[in-house]
Amino acid sequence: MVNFEKLSYYLPQGFLFQQVNLQINRGEKIGLVGKNGAGKSTLLKIISQQLKPSEGAIHLPKETKIGHLTQDIVIDTEVSLFEFLNNSNSKLNHIRTRLEEINTQLVTRTDYESTSYLNLLDELSDLNHDFQVMEGFSWEERISDTLKGLGFRDKDFEKPMNTFSGGWKMRAELSRILVNDPDIILLDEPTNHLDILSISWLESYLQKFEGAVIIISHDRLFLDNVTKRTLEISLGKILDFPFSYSLYKERRAEELERTQAAKKQQDREIKHTEDLINKFRAKSSKASFAQSLIKKLEKTERIEIEKDVVSGIKITFPLSIQPGKWVLSMEDVGKSYGDNELFSELNITVGRGEKIALLGPNGVGKSTLLKAITKNIEIEGKVQYGHNVNVTYFAQDQAEQLDKSKTILETVDDIAIGDVRKDLRSILGTFLFSGEDVDKKVSVLSGGERTRLALCQLLLSPSNFLILDEPTNHLDIQSKQVLKKALDNYEGAFIIVSHDREFVDGLTNRIWDIENKSLKIHHFSLNEYLSYKMKDKTLSGNTLKNTEKSPVKPKEKTENTIIVKPSKQDKEIQRIENDISKLEKEVQSLETELANMDYTASDYQNQLSQYDEKKRNLDNLMSKWEKLMSS
């Protein structure tokens, strides 16, 4: 489907990649990896023909449709979200416009037997056939399903595009790409602005997609779930591995070990050869021998190894002081913006050392709740901190709030207090800012470097309660793993918002979920939470389908009301649904009780046992319901 023929791309500082020969086939799902600046985004732009290669060529079948999601999307139009997608297919637009023109002519003309009239009928038949082949009759339904899958709500459909934030414009552009069903999809960091449920939906879509997909992503789990092949840009080459990301990393590590051993042996041989050259160069009897050694050395292809400097990062968040038994108390907390109420009457206490993930779709108020907890906005109700609590807040745009006119060293020196200032260069070194790097201005740093610098500031802020809003934005996979390890070892409490499932998984002991303007508390794992949320979606969707498609018995008509007598199976489904609804409320009630209980209370284990039993019963009922629905 895509063939690279001796492909090269040159920049003033050298080749990003050179003399690359590759083939990408239809249906392949590929992860494209490499260090920042290696040329990943450049390669996608070459494939989508936005850039021309310096040398060589890319060969694509004629009329290949490519959908390319870039990181620098610019959409400035007053058309509505729905119209932005509805008018995005030029061929479908042409067919619809021409069908309207022909239908108008057929209604107004009377020369039914003329050649031109008959030609119109033939054209109408051909256009209707093309419209059907392009699935034009389900076009609007596809748009709606895709927009909802990526997190948009019905009320968003008529909003002008220029009223959406950059993240939502990215979702709109991704929706436009998907509904047009290209032959090749190129995605540059597609999960950056998606919430956890939207990422799961996109995964499912791409897994079923029949064309080729190439993805640049710092989301390890997303790559593992979608891709089966990995291309790595390294040292001017594109290395090809027939594995998903995690297996590629294992095999790549094994390969690097062998390469390092080979390099050590080569270095010894080169040193020995250089010693011989220096020894015999001045002796006339050995001069020819020395020259032959020099020529041999010149022809030797030196083994190069790309160092993984990120693995050298070591982050620890020290505890400032041991706090009291509880660190946070919220009483009747609520927040509204005009008529838009995000949440209300939240009552909860957070204990010392608790690790909480705040999850849910974008727009439900996660960041607003964090700002309420940190007292950065006015709210209804009361937020109180416990004894000796030191709160440190990492905002979603923390990296962008850094003063761009200051140097790296000045940035951390401004926040450091006491003797730690003597060790600032060493601390910066653990975040990969060493030597002359510390004198660089913040303005020249990449997104990932700015995030690392903001995290370094966090390290220097005394705390025992961390509030973190999307701390992994712009971090690569290795940096995320380092941060996760630091948080895992942190002795204080924290609340974290993140859409990165692998980062959150196993890190927290409780999940908060803003739903229907209230706060649900889950004590199960991330995978169980996601399964629960997806089941909840299926339940509401399939219940409606069941009502529409349930077996119909003889009808009794009373004026304008049609009463349908339900079948035995319908009654059983209804009974189970009622039981599920009742159990869900009981489970939620127990979750709330557990959230507010002291772990050391005598009744805590009893309550936890009740919770586990009801949760098992709920899972069994869900299984029964699913079997009945599928029968």
Side-chain angles (χ1 to χ4, degrees):
M1 183 174 231
V2 185
N3 283 299
F4 298 2
E5 183 185 2
K6 297 182 178 179
L7 190 72
S8 303
Y9 193 79
Y10 182 78
L11 292 176
Q13 59 266 37
F15 280 98
L16 288 177
F17 37 82
Q18 190 174 13
Q19 296 288 304
V20 176
N21 294 290
L22 267 179
Q23 181 172 316
I24 297 169
N25 300 312
R26 179 175 173 80
E28 285 195 301
K29 311 294 193 300
I30 297 169
L32 180 59
V33 301
K35 288 185 176 180
N36 290 340
K40 303 186 294 294
S41 296
T42 299
L43 183 60
L44 293 194
K45 287 177 180 176
I46 292 173
I47 295 172
S48 63
Q49 301 178 334
Q50 293 179 41
L51 286 177
K52 289 185 178 179
S54 303
E55 297 172 4
I58 290 250
H59 300 291
L60 295 163
K62 192 176 180 181
E63 297 184 359
T64 298
K65 292 187 296 180
I66 298 176
H68 182 194
L69 182 75
T70 65
Q71 292 191 53
D72 51 355
I73 294 166
V74 178
I75 301 174
D76 187 17
T77 175
E78 293 183 356
V79 302
S80 70
L81 169 65
F82 191 85
E83 285 306 304
F84 177 70
L85 269 70
N86 196 30
N87 296 326
S88 63
N89 190 307
S90 57
K91 188 173 180 180
L92 205 54
N93 287 342
H94 169 73
I95 293 174
R96 285 187 297 201
T97 302
R98 186 58 185 148
L99 283 172
E100 287 178 13
E101 292 171 353
I102 292 174
N103 282 320
T104 300
Q105 289 188 51
L106 292 178
V107 170
T108 56
R109 289 175 58 168
T110 57
D111 54 334
Y112 305 126
E113 296 182 1
S114 67
T115 302
S116 62
Y117 191 92
L118 294 174
N119 287 340
L120 278 179
L121 291 175
D122 290 339
E123 186 181 358
L124 179 68
S125 177
D126 291 340
L127 287 171
N128 274 317
H129 176 264
D130 291 344
F131 194 70
Q132 190 168 6
V133 168
M134 293 183 68
E135 298 182 352
F137 295 105
S138 60
W139 175 245
E140 293 188 0
E141 184 182 352
R142 280 167 58 194
I143 290 173
S144 177
D145 289 346
T146 303
L147 288 173
K148 289 177 182 177
L150 289 174
F152 289 99
R153 295 163 294 182
D154 288 327
K155 65 180 183 180
D156 297 324
F157 288 11
E158 298 308 317
K159 288 182 182 177
M161 281 298 301
N162 56 9
T163 64
F164 288 102
S165 67
W168 286 101
K169 284 179 180 178
M170 186 282 293
R171 293 191 192 211
E173 175 64 11
L174 179 55
S175 301
R176 185 193 67 80
I177 289 169
L178 299 183
V179 297
N180 280 283
D181 196 26
D183 301 299
I184 302 169
I185 294 178
L186 309 175
L187 302 176
D188 197 344
E189 297 293 353
T191 65
N192 269 2
H193 298 284
L194 298 181
D195 55 68
I196 283 180
L197 295 178
S198 298
I199 292 172
S200 296
W201 181 91
L202 180 59
E203 274 180 3
S204 178
Y205 182 96
L206 294 175
Q207 286 164 356
K208 297 171 186 173
F209 179 66
E210 295 180 355
V213 181
I214 305 176
I215 302 168
I216 299 170
S217 179
H218 288 152
D219 188 326
R220 181 181 188 135
L221 190 58
F222 182 73
L223 287 174
D224 278 344
N225 288 343
V226 175
T227 65
K228 302 296 180 189
R229 180 181 175 189
T230 302
L231 299 178
E232 180 190 1
I233 303 178
S234 175
L235 299 172
K237 300 176 183 177
I238 298 184
L239 309 175
D240 193 354
F241 299 86
F243 316 111
S244 58
Y245 183 84
S246 291
L247 188 53
Y248 140 76
K249 286 295 289 183
E250 289 178 19
R251 299 299 168 87
R252 181 69 167 130
E254 293 168 2
E255 186 179 289
L256 281 172
E257 280 185 20
R258 291 192 293 269
T259 306
Q260 285 169 347
K263 182 171 173 30
K264 285 180 181 178
Q265 178 63 31
Q266 186 185 67
D267 289 345
R268 284 194 293 268
E269 291 173 358
I270 289 172
K271 178 68 169 59
H272 178 64
T273 303
E274 288 173 341
D275 290 343
L276 289 175
I277 291 169
N278 293 331
K279 182 178 180 181
F280 297 126
R281 191 196 299 267
K283 296 181 180 180
S284 57
S285 60
K286 299 289 186 179
S288 59
F289 175 60
Q291 285 300 315
S292 66
L293 289 176
I294 290 171
K295 288 180 182 178
K296 178 185 175 184
L297 205 57
E298 288 173 349
K299 291 179 181 178
T300 300
E301 188 175 338
R302 304 293 177 105
I303 298 171
E304 293 182 277
I305 295 176
E306 190 169 55
K307 292 182 180 178
D308 182 10
V309 290
V310 176
S311 61
I313 299 180
K314 294 177 181 176
I315 305 176
T316 55
F317 297 119
L319 200 66
S320 60
I321 189 173
Q322 194 66 251
K325 184 175 284 187
W326 60 273
V327 296
L328 172 70
S329 173
M330 289 191 284
E331 296 178 22
D332 297 324
V333 169
K335 181 62 183 176
S336 300
Y337 291 100
D339 295 332
N340 183 21
E341 184 181 55
L342 293 176
F343 45 81
S344 64
E345 298 183 354
L346 302 187
N347 292 279
I348 192 167
T349 300
V350 175
R352 179 175 61 206
E354 286 190 41
K355 302 179 188 299
I356 298 162
L358 175 56
L359 307 179
N362 286 354
V364 297
K366 300 189 297 296
S367 293
T368 303
L369 180 57
L370 294 191
K371 288 174 184 175
I373 291 170
T374 54
K375 303 181 181 181
N376 282 319
I377 57 173
E378 292 186 5
I379 57 167
E380 299 170 7
K382 188 189 296 184
V383 170
Q384 287 183 300
Y385 300 142
H387 179 63
N388 282 338
V389 170
N390 302 131
V391 180
T392 298
Y393 174 45
F394 186 96
Q396 191 169 139
D397 59 348
Q398 193 76 28
E400 300 309 313
Q401 290 180 21
L402 298 173
D403 188 336
K404 295 179 177 60
S405 66
K406 292 185 176 180
T407 66
I408 292 172
L409 184 58
E410 288 169 343
T411 299
V412 294
D413 190 38
D414 285 347
I415 202 167
I417 299 172
D419 292 340
V420 74
R421 295 183 65 189
K422 301 174 185 175
D423 302 318
L424 285 184
R425 288 182 177 270
S426 298
I427 293 169
L428 283 169
T430 67
F431 284 81
L432 306 184
F433 301 115
S434 57
E436 296 178 358
D437 286 345
V438 301
D439 296 319
K440 285 182 180 178
K441 296 282 188 183
V442 171
S443 58
V444 303
L445 301 181
S446 68
E449 288 171 329
R450 288 184 192 180
T451 301
R452 291 208 306 270
L453 182 56
L455 287 169
C456 187
Q457 278 191 326
L458 191 70
L459 168 67
L460 295 168
S461 305
S463 73
N464 47 34
F465 186 21
L466 295 176
I467 309 292
L468 307 169
D469 194 356
E470 298 286 5
T472 62
N473 278 356
H474 305 296
L475 289 183
D476 57 28
I477 292 173
Q478 292 92 333
S479 297
K480 287 183 198 177
Q481 291 171 336
V482 172
L483 176 59
K484 181 174 181 176
K485 186 175 181 180
L487 288 173
D488 200 34
N489 293 327
Y490 180 58
E491 294 179 10
F494 66 74
I495 301 173
I496 186 168
V497 171
S498 177
H499 64 255
D500 191 305
R501 293 160 299 171
E502 188 190 37
F503 182 77
V504 173
D505 190 29
L507 182 63
T508 61
N509 53 26
R510 184 177 303 186
I511 291 173
W512 286 2
D513 181 14
I514 299 176
E515 186 178 293
N516 297 327
K517 303 175 185 177
S518 64
L519 192 64
K520 282 191 172 182
I521 301 167
H522 303 284
H523 290 263
F524 37 63
S525 69
L526 178 66
N527 286 335
E528 288 175 322
Y529 163 79
L530 290 173
S531 177
Y532 166 79
K533 294 295 284 188
M534 298 311 287
K535 273 184 180 178
D536 194 37
K537 274 190 170 185
T538 306
L539 179 60
S540 59
N542 283 349
T543 302
L544 177 61
K545 290 176 184 176
N546 179 59
T547 305
E548 293 172 351
K549 298 181 180 181
S550 57
V552 178
K553 296 295 182 180
K555 300 173 183 177
E556 296 177 1
K557 188 171 182 180
T558 309
E559 294 185 1
N560 294 327
T561 304
I562 299 175
I563 301 172
V564 181
K565 291 183 178 179
S567 67
K568 185 177 179 182
Q569 180 173 320
D570 289 338
K571 288 181 180 178
E572 179 66 6
I573 288 172
Q574 186 62 51
R575 184 190 67 77
I576 291 176
E577 287 175 355
N578 290 338
D579 289 345
I580 287 173
S581 179
K582 181 181 175 184
L583 260 178
E584 282 180 335
K585 290 177 181 176
E586 291 175 2
V587 167
Q588 184 180 354
S589 175
L590 279 169
E591 284 177 348
T592 304
E593 288 179 31
L594 285 166
N596 293 311
M597 285 184 72
D598 187 336
Y599 294 132
T600 60
S602 58
D603 197 37
Y604 182 79
Q605 288 300 325
N606 182 43
Q607 292 287 81
L608 191 60
S609 297
Q610 285 186 46
Y611 168 78
D612 289 338
E613 183 181 355
K614 288 186 184 295
K615 189 166 166 292
R616 281 194 299 271
N617 291 340
L618 181 59
D619 289 340
N620 290 335
L621 281 174
M622 288 296 297
S623 297
K624 287 181 182 178
W625 179 86
E626 287 171 357
K627 286 178 183 177
L628 282 169
M629 289 298 294
S630 60
S631 62

